Coordinates of all heavy atoms in Angstrom, one line a residue:
M271 N 3.8 -5.1 9.3 CA 2.7 -4.7 8.5 C 3.0 -5.2 7.1 O 4.1 -4.9 6.6 CB 2.5 -3.2 8.5 CG 1.6 -2.7 7.4 SD 1.5 -0.9 7.5 CE 0.0 -0.7 8.4
K272 N 2.1 -5.9 6.5 CA 2.3 -6.4 5.1 C 1.4 -5.6 4.1 O 0.2 -5.5 4.3 CB 1.9 -7.9 5.0 CG 2.9 -8.8 5.6 CD 2.6 -10.2 5.3 CE 3.7 -11.1 5.9 NZ 3.3 -12.4 6.1
V273 N 2.1 -5.1 3.1 CA 1.4 -4.3 2.1 C 1.6 -5.0 0.8 O 2.8 -5.2 0.4 CB 1.9 -2.8 2.1 CG1 1.2 -2.1 1.0 CG2 1.8 -2.2 3.4
K274 N 0.5 -5.4 0.1 CA 0.6 -5.9 -1.2 C 0.1 -5.0 -2.2 O -1.1 -4.5 -2.1 CB -0.2 -7.3 -1.3 CG 0.4 -8.3 -0.4 CD -0.5 -9.6 -0.5 CE -0.1 -10.6 0.6 NZ -1.1 -11.6 0.8
V275 N 0.9 -4.6 -3.2 CA 0.4 -3.7 -4.2 C 0.2 -4.5 -5.5 O 1.1 -5.2 -6.0 CB 1.4 -2.6 -4.4 CG1 0.9 -1.6 -5.5 CG2 1.7 -1.8 -3.1
C276 N -1.0 -4.4 -6.1 CA -1.2 -5.1 -7.3 C -0.5 -4.4 -8.5 O -0.7 -3.2 -8.7 CB -2.7 -5.2 -7.6 SG -3.1 -6.1 -9.1
V277 N 0.2 -5.2 -9.2 CA 0.9 -4.6 -10.4 C 0.4 -5.3 -11.7 O 1.1 -5.5 -12.7 CB 2.4 -4.6 -10.3 CG1 2.9 -3.6 -9.3 CG2 3.0 -6.0 -10.0
G278 N -0.8 -5.8 -11.6 CA -1.5 -6.4 -12.8 C -1.8 -5.2 -13.8 O -1.7 -4.1 -13.4
S279 N -2.2 -5.6 -15.0 CA -2.4 -4.5 -16.0 C -3.4 -3.5 -15.6 O -3.1 -2.3 -15.7 CB -2.7 -5.1 -17.3 OG -3.7 -6.0 -17.2
S280 N -4.6 -3.8 -15.1 CA -5.6 -2.8 -14.7 C -5.1 -1.9 -13.7 O -5.2 -0.7 -13.8 CB -6.9 -3.5 -14.2 OG -7.4 -4.4 -15.1
C281 N -4.5 -2.5 -12.7 CA -4.0 -1.6 -11.5 C -2.8 -0.8 -12.0 O -2.7 0.4 -11.5 CB -3.6 -2.5 -10.3 SG -5.1 -3.3 -9.6
T282 N -1.9 -1.3 -12.8 CA -0.8 -0.5 -13.3 C -1.3 0.7 -14.1 O -0.8 1.8 -13.9 CB 0.2 -1.4 -14.1 OG1 0.6 -2.5 -13.3 CG2 1.4 -0.6 -14.5
L283 N -2.2 0.4 -14.9 CA -2.8 1.5 -15.8 C -3.3 2.6 -14.9 O -3.3 3.8 -15.3 CB -3.9 1.0 -16.7 CG -3.5 0.4 -18.0 CD1 -4.7 -0.2 -18.7 CD2 -2.9 1.5 -18.9
L284 N -3.8 2.3 -13.8 CA -4.4 3.3 -12.9 C -3.5 3.8 -11.8 O -4.0 4.4 -10.8 CB -5.8 2.8 -12.4 CG -6.8 2.8 -13.6 CD1 -8.0 2.0 -13.2 CD2 -7.2 4.2 -14.0
G285 N -2.2 3.5 -11.9 CA -1.3 4.2 -11.0 C -0.7 3.4 -9.9 O -0.1 4.0 -9.0
S286 N -0.7 2.0 -9.9 CA -0.1 1.3 -8.8 C 1.4 1.5 -8.7 O 1.9 1.4 -7.6 CB -0.5 -0.2 -8.8 OG 0.0 -0.8 -10.0
M287 N 2.1 1.7 -9.8 CA 3.5 1.9 -9.7 C 3.9 3.2 -8.9 O 4.8 3.2 -8.2 CB 4.2 2.0 -11.1 CG 4.0 0.8 -12.0 SD 4.3 -0.8 -11.1 CE 6.1 -0.8 -11.2
S288 N 3.1 4.2 -9.1 CA 3.3 5.4 -8.3 C 3.1 5.2 -6.8 O 3.8 5.7 -6.0 CB 2.5 6.5 -8.9 OG 1.9 7.3 -8.0
I289 N 2.1 4.3 -6.5 CA 1.9 4.0 -5.1 C 3.1 3.2 -4.5 O 3.6 3.5 -3.4 CB 0.6 3.1 -4.9 CG1 -0.6 3.9 -5.4 CG2 0.4 2.6 -3.5 CD1 -1.9 3.2 -5.4
L290 N 3.6 2.3 -5.3 CA 4.8 1.6 -4.9 C 6.0 2.5 -4.6 O 6.7 2.4 -3.6 CB 5.3 0.6 -6.0 CG 4.8 -0.9 -5.9 CD1 5.3 -1.6 -7.1 CD2 5.2 -1.6 -4.6
D291 N 6.2 3.5 -5.6 CA 7.3 4.5 -5.4 C 7.1 5.2 -4.1 O 8.0 5.5 -3.3 CB 7.3 5.5 -6.5 CG 7.9 4.8 -7.8 OD1 8.5 3.7 -7.7 OD2 7.7 5.4 -8.9
Q292 N 5.8 5.6 -3.8 CA 5.6 6.4 -2.6 C 5.8 5.6 -1.4 O 6.3 6.2 -0.4 CB 4.1 6.9 -2.6 CG 3.7 7.8 -3.7 CD 4.0 9.3 -3.3 OE1 3.8 9.6 -2.2 NE2 4.5 10.1 -4.2
I293 N 5.5 4.3 -1.4 CA 5.8 3.5 -0.2 C 7.3 3.4 0.0 O 7.8 3.4 1.1 CB 5.1 2.1 -0.4 CG1 3.6 2.2 -0.5 CG2 5.5 1.2 0.8 CD1 2.9 0.9 -0.8
D294 N 8.1 3.3 -1.1 CA 9.5 3.2 -1.0 C 10.0 4.5 -0.3 O 10.9 4.5 0.6 CB 10.2 3.1 -2.3 CG 10.5 1.7 -2.7 OD1 10.4 0.8 -1.8 OD2 10.8 1.4 -3.8
D295 N 9.5 5.6 -0.8 CA 9.9 6.9 -0.2 C 9.5 6.9 1.3 O 10.3 7.4 2.2 CB 9.2 8.1 -0.8 CG 9.8 8.3 -2.3 OD1 10.8 7.7 -2.6 OD2 9.1 9.1 -3.0
L296 N 8.4 6.4 1.6 CA 7.9 6.4 3.0 C 8.8 5.5 3.9 O 9.1 5.9 5.0 CB 6.5 5.9 3.1 CG 5.8 5.9 4.5 CD1 5.7 7.2 5.1 CD2 4.5 5.2 4.5
K297 N 9.3 4.4 3.3 CA 10.2 3.6 4.1 C 11.5 4.3 4.5 O 12.0 4.2 5.6 CB 10.6 2.3 3.2 CG 9.6 1.3 3.3 CD 10.0 0.1 2.4 CE 10.2 -1.1 3.1 NZ 10.5 -2.3 2.3
D298 N 12.0 5.2 3.5 CA 13.2 6.0 3.8 C 12.9 7.0 4.9 O 13.7 7.2 5.8 CB 13.6 6.7 2.6 CG 14.1 5.8 1.5 OD1 14.5 4.7 1.8 OD2 14.2 6.2 0.3
I299 N 11.7 7.6 4.8 CA 11.3 8.6 5.8 C 11.3 7.9 7.2 O 11.8 8.5 8.2 CB 10.0 9.2 5.5 CG1 10.1 10.1 4.2 CG2 9.4 10.1 6.6 CD1 8.8 10.6 3.6
I300 N 10.7 6.7 7.3 CA 10.5 6.0 8.5 C 11.9 5.7 9.1 O 12.2 5.8 10.3 CB 9.7 4.8 8.3 CG1 8.2 5.2 8.1 CG2 9.7 3.8 9.6 CD1 7.4 4.0 7.6
S301 N 12.8 5.2 8.2 CA 14.1 4.8 8.7 C 14.9 5.9 9.2 O 15.8 5.8 10.1 CB 14.9 4.0 7.7 OG 15.2 4.8 6.6
E302 N 14.7 7.1 8.7 CA 15.4 8.3 9.1 C 14.8 8.9 10.4 O 15.4 9.8 11.0 CB 15.4 9.4 8.0 CG 16.3 9.0 6.9 CD 16.0 9.8 5.6 OE1 15.3 10.8 5.7 OE2 16.5 9.4 4.6
D303 N 13.6 8.5 10.8 CA 12.9 9.1 11.9 C 12.3 8.0 12.8 O 11.1 7.9 13.1 CB 11.8 10.0 11.4 CG 11.2 10.8 12.5 OD1 11.8 10.9 13.6 OD2 10.2 11.4 12.2
P304 N 13.2 7.0 13.3 CA 12.6 5.9 14.0 C 11.9 6.2 15.3 O 11.1 5.4 15.8 CB 13.9 5.0 14.3 CG 15.0 6.0 14.2 CD 14.6 7.1 13.3
D305 N 12.2 7.4 15.9 CA 11.5 7.7 17.2 C 10.0 7.9 17.0 O 9.3 7.8 18.0 CB 12.1 9.0 17.8 CG 13.5 8.8 18.3 OD1 13.9 7.6 18.4 OD2 14.2 9.8 18.5
N306 N 9.6 8.3 15.9 CA 8.2 8.6 15.7 C 7.3 7.4 15.1 O 6.1 7.6 14.9 CB 8.0 9.8 14.8 CG 8.3 11.1 15.5 OD1 7.9 11.2 16.7 ND2 9.1 11.9 14.9
Y307 N 8.0 6.3 14.9 CA 7.3 5.2 14.3 C 7.6 3.9 15.1 O 8.6 3.8 15.7 CB 7.7 4.9 12.9 CG 7.4 6.1 12.0 CD1 8.3 7.1 11.7 CD2 6.1 6.3 11.5 CE1 8.0 8.2 11.0 CE2 5.8 7.4 10.7 CZ 6.7 8.4 10.5 OH 6.4 9.5 9.7
N308 N 6.6 3.0 15.2 CA 6.8 1.8 16.0 C 7.7 0.9 15.2 O 8.1 1.1 14.0 CB 5.5 1.1 16.4 CG 4.7 0.7 15.3 OD1 5.2 0.2 14.3 ND2 3.4 0.7 15.4
D309 N 8.2 -0.2 15.9 CA 9.2 -1.1 15.3 C 8.7 -2.0 14.2 O 9.4 -2.8 13.6 CB 9.8 -2.0 16.4 CG 10.5 -1.1 17.4 OD1 10.9 0.0 17.0 OD2 10.7 -1.6 18.5
E310 N 7.4 -2.0 14.0 CA 6.8 -2.9 13.1 C 7.4 -2.8 11.7 O 7.6 -1.7 11.2 CB 5.3 -2.7 13.0 CG 4.5 -3.8 12.4 CD 3.0 -3.5 12.3 OE1 2.6 -2.6 13.0 OE2 2.3 -4.2 11.6
E311 N 7.8 -3.9 11.2 CA 8.5 -3.9 9.8 C 7.4 -3.7 8.7 O 6.4 -4.2 8.8 CB 9.2 -5.2 9.6 CG 10.2 -5.0 8.5 CD 10.9 -6.3 8.1 OE1 10.8 -7.3 8.9 OE2 11.3 -6.4 6.9
L312 N 7.8 -2.9 7.8 CA 6.9 -2.6 6.7 C 7.3 -3.5 5.5 O 8.4 -3.2 4.9 CB 7.0 -1.1 6.3 CG 6.1 -0.6 5.2 CD1 4.6 -0.9 5.5 CD2 6.3 1.0 5.1
E313 N 6.6 -4.5 5.3 CA 6.9 -5.5 4.2 C 6.1 -5.1 3.0 O 4.9 -5.1 3.1 CB 6.6 -6.9 4.6 CG 7.5 -7.5 5.6 CD 7.0 -8.9 6.0 OE1 6.7 -9.7 5.0 OE2 6.9 -9.2 7.2
V314 N 6.7 -4.9 1.9 CA 6.0 -4.5 0.7 C 6.2 -5.5 -0.4 O 7.3 -6.0 -0.6 CB 6.5 -3.1 0.2 CG1 5.6 -2.7 -1.0 CG2 6.4 -2.1 1.3
E315 N 5.1 -5.9 -1.0 CA 5.2 -6.9 -2.1 C 4.4 -6.4 -3.3 O 3.3 -5.9 -3.2 CB 4.5 -8.2 -1.6 CG 5.3 -9.5 -1.9 CD 4.5 -10.6 -1.3 OE1 3.9 -10.5 -0.2 OE2 4.4 -11.6 -2.0
A316 N 5.0 -6.5 -4.5 CA 4.3 -6.2 -5.7 C 3.8 -7.5 -6.3 O 4.6 -8.5 -6.5 CB 5.2 -5.5 -6.7
I317 N 2.5 -7.6 -6.5 CA 1.9 -8.9 -7.0 C 1.2 -8.7 -8.3 O 0.4 -7.7 -8.4 CB 1.0 -9.5 -5.9 CG1 1.9 -9.8 -4.7 CG2 0.3 -10.7 -6.4 CD1 1.1 -10.5 -3.6
K318 N 1.4 -9.5 -9.2 CA 0.6 -9.4 -10.5 C -0.8 -9.9 -10.4 O -1.0 -11.1 -10.1 CB 1.4 -10.3 -11.6 CG 2.6 -9.6 -12.1 CD 2.7 -9.8 -13.6 CE 3.7 -8.9 -14.2 NZ 4.8 -9.6 -14.7
C319 N -1.7 -9.0 -10.5 CA -3.1 -9.2 -10.3 C -3.5 -10.1 -9.1 O -3.4 -11.3 -9.0 CB -3.8 -9.9 -11.6 SG -5.6 -9.7 -11.4
L320 N -4.1 -9.3 -8.2 CA -4.5 -10.0 -6.9 C -5.9 -10.6 -7.1 O -6.4 -11.2 -6.2 CB -4.6 -8.9 -5.8 CG -3.3 -8.3 -5.3 CD1 -3.5 -7.0 -4.6 CD2 -2.6 -9.3 -4.5
G321 N -6.5 -10.5 -8.3 CA -7.7 -11.2 -8.6 C -9.0 -10.4 -8.3 O -10.1 -10.8 -8.8
F322 N -8.9 -9.3 -7.6 CA -10.1 -8.5 -7.3 C -10.8 -7.9 -8.5 O -12.0 -7.8 -8.6 CB -9.7 -7.4 -6.3 CG -9.2 -7.8 -5.0 CD1 -7.9 -7.9 -4.7 CD2 -10.1 -8.3 -4.0 CE1 -7.4 -8.3 -3.4 CE2 -9.7 -8.7 -2.8 CZ -8.3 -8.7 -2.5
C323 N -10.0 -7.6 -9.5 CA -10.6 -7.0 -10.7 C -11.4 -8.0 -11.5 O -12.3 -7.6 -12.3 CB -9.5 -6.4 -11.6 SG -8.4 -7.6 -12.3
K324 N -11.2 -9.3 -11.3 CA -11.9 -10.3 -12.0 C -13.2 -10.7 -11.3 O -14.0 -11.4 -11.9 CB -11.0 -11.5 -12.2 CG -9.8 -11.1 -13.1 CD -8.9 -12.3 -13.4 CE -7.9 -12.0 -14.5 NZ -6.9 -11.1 -14.2
D325 N -13.3 -10.4 -10.0 CA -14.4 -10.8 -9.2 C -15.6 -9.9 -9.3 O -16.7 -10.1 -8.8 CB -14.0 -10.8 -7.7 CG -13.1 -12.0 -7.4 OD1 -13.0 -12.8 -8.3 OD2 -12.5 -11.9 -6.3
T326 N -15.5 -8.8 -10.0 CA -16.5 -7.8 -10.0 C -16.6 -7.0 -11.4 O -15.6 -7.0 -12.1 CB -16.3 -6.7 -8.9 OG1 -17.3 -5.8 -9.0 CG2 -15.0 -6.1 -8.9
D327 N -17.7 -6.5 -11.7 CA -17.9 -5.6 -12.9 C -17.4 -4.2 -12.5 O -17.3 -3.4 -13.4 CB -19.3 -5.6 -13.3 CG -19.8 -6.9 -13.8 OD1 -18.9 -7.7 -14.2 OD2 -21.0 -7.1 -13.8
K328 N -17.4 -3.9 -11.2 CA -17.0 -2.5 -10.8 C -15.5 -2.3 -11.1 O -14.7 -3.2 -11.1 CB -17.3 -2.3 -9.4 CG -18.8 -2.3 -9.1 CD -19.1 -2.0 -7.6 CE -20.5 -2.4 -7.3 NZ -20.6 -3.1 -6.0
N329 N -15.2 -1.0 -11.2 CA -13.8 -0.7 -11.4 C -13.1 -0.6 -10.0 O -13.4 0.4 -9.2 CB -13.7 0.6 -12.1 CG -12.3 1.0 -12.5 OD1 -11.4 0.2 -12.2 ND2 -12.0 2.1 -13.0
V330 N -12.3 -1.5 -9.6 CA -11.7 -1.5 -8.3 C -10.2 -1.1 -8.3 O -9.6 -0.9 -7.2 CB -11.9 -2.9 -7.6 CG1 -13.3 -3.2 -7.3 CG2 -11.2 -4.0 -8.4
A331 N -9.6 -1.1 -9.5 CA -8.2 -0.8 -9.6 C -7.9 0.7 -9.2 O -8.7 1.5 -9.5 CB -7.7 -1.1 -11.0
P332 N -6.7 0.9 -8.7 CA -5.7 0.0 -8.2 C -6.1 -0.6 -6.9 O -6.8 0.1 -6.1 CB -4.5 0.9 -8.1 CG -4.8 2.2 -8.5 CD -6.3 2.3 -8.6
V333 N -5.7 -1.8 -6.6 CA -6.0 -2.5 -5.4 C -4.7 -2.6 -4.6 O -3.6 -3.0 -5.1 CB -6.6 -3.9 -5.6 CG1 -6.9 -4.6 -4.3 CG2 -7.8 -3.8 -6.5
V334 N -4.8 -2.3 -3.3 CA -3.7 -2.5 -2.4 C -4.2 -3.2 -1.2 O -5.3 -2.9 -0.7 CB -3.1 -1.1 -1.9 CG1 -2.0 -1.3 -0.8 CG2 -2.5 -0.3 -3.1
V335 N -3.5 -4.2 -0.7 CA -4.0 -5.0 0.5 C -3.1 -4.7 1.6 O -1.9 -5.0 1.5 CB -4.1 -6.5 0.2 CG1 -4.6 -7.3 1.4 CG2 -5.0 -6.8 -1.0
I336 N -3.6 -4.2 2.7 CA -2.8 -3.9 3.9 C -3.3 -4.8 5.0 O -4.4 -4.7 5.4 CB -3.0 -2.4 4.3 CG1 -2.5 -1.5 3.2 CG2 -2.2 -2.1 5.6 CD1 -2.5 0.0 3.5
D337 N -2.4 -5.7 5.5 CA -2.7 -6.6 6.5 C -4.0 -7.4 6.2 O -4.9 -7.4 7.0 CB -2.7 -6.0 7.9 CG -1.3 -5.7 8.4 OD1 -0.3 -6.3 7.9 OD2 -1.2 -4.8 9.2
D338 N -4.1 -7.9 5.0 CA -5.3 -8.7 4.6 C -6.6 -7.8 4.3 O -7.6 -8.4 4.0 CB -5.6 -9.8 5.5 CG -4.5 -10.8 5.6 OD1 -3.8 -11.0 4.6 OD2 -4.2 -11.4 6.7
E339 N -6.5 -6.5 4.5 CA -7.7 -5.7 4.2 C -7.5 -5.0 2.9 O -6.6 -4.2 2.7 CB -7.8 -4.7 5.3 CG -9.1 -3.9 5.3 CD -9.1 -2.8 6.4 OE1 -8.6 -3.0 7.5 OE2 -9.6 -1.7 6.0
P340 N -8.3 -5.3 1.9 CA -8.2 -4.7 0.6 C -8.7 -3.3 0.5 O -9.7 -2.9 1.1 CB -9.0 -5.6 -0.4 CG -9.9 -6.4 0.5 CD -9.4 -6.4 1.9
M341 N -7.9 -2.4 -0.2 CA -8.3 -1.0 -0.4 C -8.5 -1.0 -1.9 O -7.6 -1.2 -2.7 CB -7.2 -0.1 0.0 CG -6.9 0.0 1.4 SD -5.5 1.1 1.8 CE -6.3 2.7 1.6
Y342 N -9.8 -0.6 -2.3 CA -10.1 -0.5 -3.8 C -9.9 1.0 -4.2 O -10.0 1.9 -3.4 CB -11.5 -0.9 -4.0 CG -11.8 -2.3 -3.6 CD1 -12.8 -2.6 -2.6 CD2 -11.0 -3.4 -4.0 CE1 -13.1 -3.9 -2.2 CE2 -11.3 -4.7 -3.6 CZ -12.3 -4.9 -2.7 OH -12.5 -6.2 -2.2
N343 N -9.6 1.2 -5.5 CA -9.4 2.5 -6.0 C -8.4 3.3 -5.2 O -8.6 4.4 -4.8 CB -10.7 3.3 -6.1 CG -11.8 2.5 -6.9 OD1 -12.9 2.3 -6.4 ND2 -11.5 2.2 -8.1
A344 N -7.3 2.5 -4.8 CA -6.4 3.1 -3.9 C -5.6 4.3 -4.6 O -5.4 4.3 -5.8 CB -5.4 2.0 -3.5
T345 N -5.3 5.2 -3.8 CA -4.4 6.3 -4.2 C -3.2 6.4 -3.3 O -3.2 5.8 -2.2 CB -5.1 7.7 -4.2 OG1 -5.4 8.0 -2.8 CG2 -6.4 7.7 -4.9
S346 N -2.1 7.1 -3.8 CA -1.0 7.2 -2.9 C -1.4 7.8 -1.6 O -0.9 7.4 -0.5 CB 0.1 8.1 -3.6 OG 0.5 7.5 -4.8
Q347 N -2.3 8.8 -1.7 CA -2.7 9.5 -0.4 C -3.4 8.6 0.5 O -3.0 8.5 1.7 CB -3.5 10.7 -0.8 CG -3.8 11.5 0.5 CD -4.6 12.7 0.1 OE1 -4.9 13.1 -1.0 NE2 -5.1 13.4 1.2
T348 N -4.4 7.8 0.1 CA -5.1 6.9 1.0 C -4.2 5.8 1.5 O -4.4 5.5 2.7 CB -6.4 6.3 0.3 OG1 -6.0 5.6 -0.9 CG2 -7.4 7.4 0.0
V349 N -3.3 5.3 0.7 CA -2.5 4.2 1.2 C -1.5 4.8 2.2 O -1.3 4.2 3.3 CB -1.7 3.6 0.0 CG1 -0.6 2.6 0.5 CG2 -2.7 2.9 -0.9
M350 N -0.9 6.0 1.9 CA 0.1 6.5 2.9 C -0.6 6.8 4.2 O 0.0 6.6 5.3 CB 0.7 7.9 2.3 CG 1.6 7.7 1.1 SD 2.8 6.5 1.3 CE 2.2 5.4 0.0
E351 N -1.8 7.4 4.1 CA -2.5 7.7 5.4 C -2.8 6.5 6.2 O -2.5 6.5 7.4 CB -3.9 8.3 5.0 CG -3.8 9.8 4.9 CD -5.2 10.4 4.4 OE1 -6.2 9.7 4.5 OE2 -5.1 11.5 3.9
K352 N -3.2 5.4 5.6 CA -3.5 4.2 6.3 C -2.2 3.6 6.9 O -2.2 3.2 8.1 CB -4.1 3.2 5.3 CG -4.3 1.8 5.8 CD -5.7 1.6 6.2 CE -5.9 0.2 6.7 NZ -7.0 0.0 7.6
I353 N -1.1 3.6 6.2 CA 0.1 3.1 6.7 C 0.6 3.9 7.9 O 0.9 3.4 9.0 CB 1.2 3.0 5.6 CG1 0.8 2.0 4.6 CG2 2.6 2.6 6.2 CD1 1.8 1.9 3.3
I354 N 0.7 5.2 7.7 CA 1.2 6.1 8.7 C 0.4 6.1 10.0 O 0.9 6.0 11.1 CB 1.3 7.6 8.1 CG1 2.4 7.7 7.1 CG2 1.6 8.6 9.3 CD1 2.5 9.0 6.4
N355 N -1.0 6.1 9.8 CA -1.8 6.0 11.0 C -1.6 4.7 11.8 O -1.9 4.7 13.0 CB -3.3 6.2 10.6 CG -3.6 7.6 10.2 OD1 -2.9 8.5 10.5 ND2 -4.7 7.8 9.4
T356 N -1.2 3.7 11.1 CA -1.0 2.4 11.8 C 0.3 2.3 12.5 O 0.4 1.8 13.6 CB -1.2 1.2 10.8 OG1 -2.4 1.4 10.1 CG2 -1.1 -0.1 11.5
I357 N 1.4 2.9 11.9 CA 2.7 2.7 12.5 C 3.3 3.9 13.2 O 4.3 3.8 13.8 CB 3.7 2.3 11.4 CG1 3.9 3.3 10.3 CG2 3.3 0.9 10.7 CD1 5.0 3.0 9.3
R358 N 2.5 5.0 13.2 CA 3.0 6.2 13.9 C 2.8 6.0 15.4 O 1.8 5.5 15.8 CB 2.4 7.4 13.4 CG 3.0 8.7 13.9 CD 2.6 9.9 13.3 NE 1.1 10.0 13.1 CZ 0.5 10.8 12.2 NH1 1.2 11.6 11.5 NH2 -0.8 10.8 12.1
K359 N 3.8 6.4 16.2 CA 3.7 6.3 17.6 C 2.7 7.3 18.2 O 2.6 8.4 17.7 CB 5.0 6.5 18.3 CG 5.9 5.2 18.3 CD 7.2 5.5 19.0 CE 8.1 4.3 18.9 NZ 9.4 4.6 19.4
Ligands
LIG283 S1 -5.0 -6.1 -12.0 FE1 -5.1 -5.5 -10.0 S2 -6.6 -6.8 -9.1 FE2 -6.4 -7.5 -11.1

């Protein structure tokens, strides 16, 4: 599973660094409990402005892209839920 977290200025201002921290914590939780998660590797990338904020007048930040599917106005909770629901056995 590939997770891209935007760390451009708009997304950082609205909390993307905290989402990155939470994903790091989740990676630790997964590695300590391998029986409950599938073997899929969780690849996390921090990217400076994914461009979504420039395509629209709407406020979309923070943006997180999970396996090519963008999540707008992402929160730690919505991102964790999406990741866990996908990789939990
Ligand atoms: S700063 Fe995040 S999409 Fe532009």
Side-chain angles (χ1 to χ4, degrees):
M271 164 182 268
K272 283 192 180 157
V273 181
K274 295 177 189 164
V275 179
C276 181
V277 291
S279 48
S280 302
C281 292
T282 301
L283 274 173
L284 289 166
S286 62
M287 298 312 280
S288 135
I289 295 173
L290 266 178
D291 285 347
Q292 293 274 320
I293 296 173
D294 264 349
D295 290 348
L296 182 63
K297 280 177 116 176
D298 291 341
I299 291 168
I300 291 168
S301 65
E302 285 163 15
D303 189 14
D305 289 348
N306 284 317
Y307 298 95
N308 64 33
D309 296 337
E310 198 177 346
E311 197 187 338
L312 183 55
E313 288 176 46
V314 185
E315 225 181 319
I317 297 184
K318 281 222 169 115
C319 192
L320 292 164
F322 294 100
C323 64
K324 297 184 167 69
D325 290 346
T326 176
D327 294 338
K328 292 184 195 136
N329 187 4
V330 294
V333 180
V334 174
V335 179
I336 298 181
D337 287 339
D338 297 325
E339 188 185 322
M341 294 175 74
Y342 305 122
N343 305 121
T345 64
S346 296
Q347 188 179 350
T348 55
V349 171
M350 293 312 113
E351 273 174 17
K352 174 96 178 160
I353 295 173
I354 289 171
N355 286 340
T356 307
I357 62 173
R358 191 168 42 199
K359 279 184 185 169

